[in-house]
Amino acid sequence: MKKLKLLTNIEEAYDELRYKTSWPTRTQLIKSACIVMLASVIIALIIFIMDQVVDALMHLIYSLGN
């Protein structure tokens, strides 16, 4: 009985992916990928700058203590 349910679930998942899902066009996919890459670079730069600022502050604080 469980094997039958598993096969039914697989068949339903395939049918949904094949017939009910709208897939993006190549152009939409490329645009979305570019947006994600650009956002990733911007976020990485922001984190890098924040890290550099905190590092400089820590060096300043520790140099004043000595």
Side-chain angles (χ1 to χ4, degrees):
M1 189 64 146
K2 283 190 177 200
K3 197 173 196 179
L4 221 64
K5 182 159 176 64
L6 177 64
L7 290 176
T8 303
N9 286 344
I10 291 172
E11 185 178 301
E12 287 174 359
Y14 174 79
D15 287 342
E16 187 167 341
L17 284 173
R18 180 79 171 105
Y19 301 110
K20 296 180 183 177
T21 304
S22 60
W23 297 97
T25 64
R26 183 176 179 87
T27 305
Q28 290 172 331
L29 192 61
I30 290 171
K31 285 181 182 179
S32 296
C34 288
I35 290 170
V36 168
M37 286 190 296
L38 181 63
S40 298
V41 168
I42 290 170
I43 291 169
L45 285 172
I46 290 169
I47 291 172
F48 176 75
I49 291 167
M50 290 170 61
D51 182 54
Q52 294 300 309
V53 168
V54 169
D55 185 52
L57 286 173
M58 289 295 114
H59 277 90
L60 178 66
I61 290 170
Y62 285 122
S63 69
L64 293 176
N66 290 333

